Amino acid sequence: MSVVEEPAQVDGERLMQFVFRAVDEVGATLNTALVVMGDKLGLYRALAGAGALAPAELAERTGTAERYVREWLNAQAAGGYVAYDPDSGRYSLPPEQAVALTDADSPAYLPGFFQIALGSVIDSPQIADRARSGDGFGWHEHVHDVHEGCERFFRPGYNAHLIAEWLPALDGVVAKLERGARVADVGCGHGASTILMAQAFPSSTFAGFDYHEGSIETARERARAAGVAARIHFHAEPAAAYSGRDYDLVTMFDCLHDMGDPVGAARHVLGTLSADGTWMIVEPNAGDRVEENLNPVGRAYYAFSTLLCTPASLSQEVGLALGAQAGEARIRDVVEAAGFTRFRRVAQTPFNLVFEARP
Ligand SMILES: C[S@@+](CC[C@H](N)C(=O)[O-])C[C@H]1O[C@@H](n2cnc3c(N)ncnc32)[C@H](O)[C@@H]1O
């Protein structure tokens, strides 16, 4: 005898709540492109501190077309990014939005976050193809907005925490850096972290490594512009085979989980550290269990992980694909499997976990 299942009851009110939530999300998705547009065209910078402007004034100050600017402003006003005064027909940027959208030195600076998100979305049709085949998609294959957005997204957090909190949380490392230490920054991308450390510790020498040639070229330019090129040498070399030995400190910022063979990379770190050296691992903040990450930060990171981190790892040998939300327990497994004997969490922010591994 077959049992006929009753159709599940659909609650009309809940259905409409979900539909309206989706309207908000589609608006937010499109706003990612509008924020990048506002950043690239200088619209936020022109609005910041300028008081209330009419669309024509903003267009004139930025060399853009009034009709586009007016439509962009209305979308920004509807999303609460700019304030609109119906009496005067003018728009202004509230001071908090001005910091978050125009102050590149603020830890709250957001344009890079939107830029890497837009780049990820642009590449998403190719990721959908790879999801069918199971093949990977390398970091180097992405559009430039992913590479530059990544640099601009992470740099404010490193600015705020790296020198002031994370390095001092490591056992004895700051004293070594002040005396003059040998440092390798592996998976350095555009070198934001390497340059910050070089500026803070003029007696130390730094090597930055990344397998992506294009990122290394940009890192060299950034080091020249920052006036620290004499103490940083950037090399296009992979984490499992970078050059040099007897490093006092090896750092990896938001990249261990992107690697195909993080255990192989960890073994190489162990082989290139001095006997008393330290490996600092900065990873996205995540709990060990999926249900601990079902929150706004976890949502953004799982999405980046689907579009960037997991395909990046799958594109390389081994393809362990830890994912951006690996969590402390899996990172510890990687570190211990490579032969490190000491591992501890030394710091955290809402976005990052910081670990210390010692031989
Ligand atoms: C999310 S980005 C982080 C870049 C940089 N550390 C930062 O914080 O801005 C990940 C970086 O890891 C690099 N990467 C991935 N796999 C690598 C490997 N096997 N060896 C060296 N670098 C690797 C990528 O090229 C990319 O620059």
Side-chain angles (χ1 to χ4, degrees):
M1 198 178 79
S2 70
V3 179
V4 179
E5 277 196 25
E6 288 286 314
Q9 285 288 336
V10 171
D11 179 326
E13 202 173 313
R14 278 204 220 151
L15 175 60
M16 284 321 288
Q17 276 171 4
F18 185 64
V19 168
F20 277 108
R21 189 177 149 219
V23 172
D24 202 29
E25 304 226 339
V26 171
T29 306
L30 294 167
N31 194 51
T32 298
L34 295 195
V35 171
V36 172
M37 184 174 159
D39 178 51
K40 287 191 173 161
L41 295 176
L43 299 172
Y44 294 120
R45 289 188 291 283
L47 279 167
L53 296 181
E57 292 168 317
L58 181 58
E60 204 202 314
R61 290 181 188 196
T62 52
T64 51
E66 187 274 345
R67 188 64 192 91
Y68 279 93
V69 167
R70 183 160 27 112
E71 218 61 9
W72 179 87
L73 279 166
N74 286 336
Q76 296 299 290
Y81 280 57
V82 305
Y84 175 59
D85 174 27
D87 293 334
S88 64
R90 288 167 180 268
Y91 303 77
S92 58
L93 195 62
E96 296 75 20
Q97 275 82 336
V99 168
L101 295 165
T102 69
D103 181 357
D105 291 330
S106 164
Y109 186 61
L110 291 172
F113 207 0
F114 286 95
Q115 189 179 357
I116 188 172
L118 180 64
S120 306
V121 169
I122 288 169
D123 286 332
S124 63
Q126 303 189 69
I127 303 302
D129 288 343
R130 308 297 161 107
R132 283 201 188 87
S133 68
D135 294 333
F137 192 86
W139 184 259
H140 61 283
E141 296 180 74
H142 284 286
V143 293
H144 180 66
D145 276 328
V146 166
H147 306 140
E148 191 180 88
C150 176
E151 171 193 13
R152 296 176 76 210
F153 167 48
F154 283 129
R155 194 199 286 117
Y158 302 160
N159 265 335
H161 303 289
L162 172 55
I163 308 300
E165 293 160 30
W166 297 347
L167 290 172
L170 303 169
D171 191 15
V173 165
V174 168
K176 288 185 193 172
L177 289 167
E178 281 169 348
R179 281 198 302 274
R182 284 167 52 74
V183 182
D185 188 12
V186 178
C188 64
H190 287 187
S193 50
T194 337
I195 291 167
L196 266 180
M197 292 191 286
Q199 287 170 324
F201 299 104
S203 304
S204 292
T205 53
F206 296 83
F209 300 99
D210 199 290
Y211 90 103
H212 178 215
E213 181 81 48
S215 288
I216 287 297
E217 278 166 22
T218 304
R220 288 185 185 129
E221 280 167 30
R222 299 282 195 267
R224 274 195 292 277
V228 291
R231 283 185 300 108
I232 309 183
H233 293 99
F234 286 107
H235 310 272
E237 295 175 8
Y242 62 83
S243 49
R245 296 189 65 80
D246 291 326
Y247 290 108
D248 301 292
L249 174 66
V250 174
T251 56
M252 283 191 194
F253 292 86
D254 286 292
C255 60
L256 181 65
H257 65 272
D258 292 307
M259 296 174 188
D261 183 10
V263 177
R267 273 197 207 103
H268 190 68
V269 174
L270 189 57
T272 61
L273 271 179
S274 71
D276 189 36
T278 301
W279 179 21
M280 178 170 76
I281 307 155
V282 177
E283 277 289 295
N285 194 338
D288 292 327
R289 301 165 65 88
V290 169
E291 56 271 34
E292 294 171 57
N293 304 321
L294 302 183
N295 52 56
V297 172
R299 184 189 192 197
Y301 278 169
Y302 275 128
F304 280 127
S305 189
T306 308
L307 297 171
L308 300 178
C309 315
T310 300
S313 178
L314 290 174
S315 76
Q316 300 181 15
E317 295 224 340
V318 181
L320 189 65
L322 288 170
Q325 295 287 268
E328 179 167 347
R330 292 208 75 197
I331 301 299
R332 176 189 286 275
D333 287 347
V334 166
V335 169
E336 290 180 350
F340 283 84
T341 63
R342 291 166 284 175
F343 177 85
R344 67 185 178 113
R345 184 197 297 201
V346 295
Q348 72 182 82
T349 70
F351 296 103
N352 283 115
L353 299 177
V354 184
F355 304 107
E356 175 192 78
R358 309 286 303 270

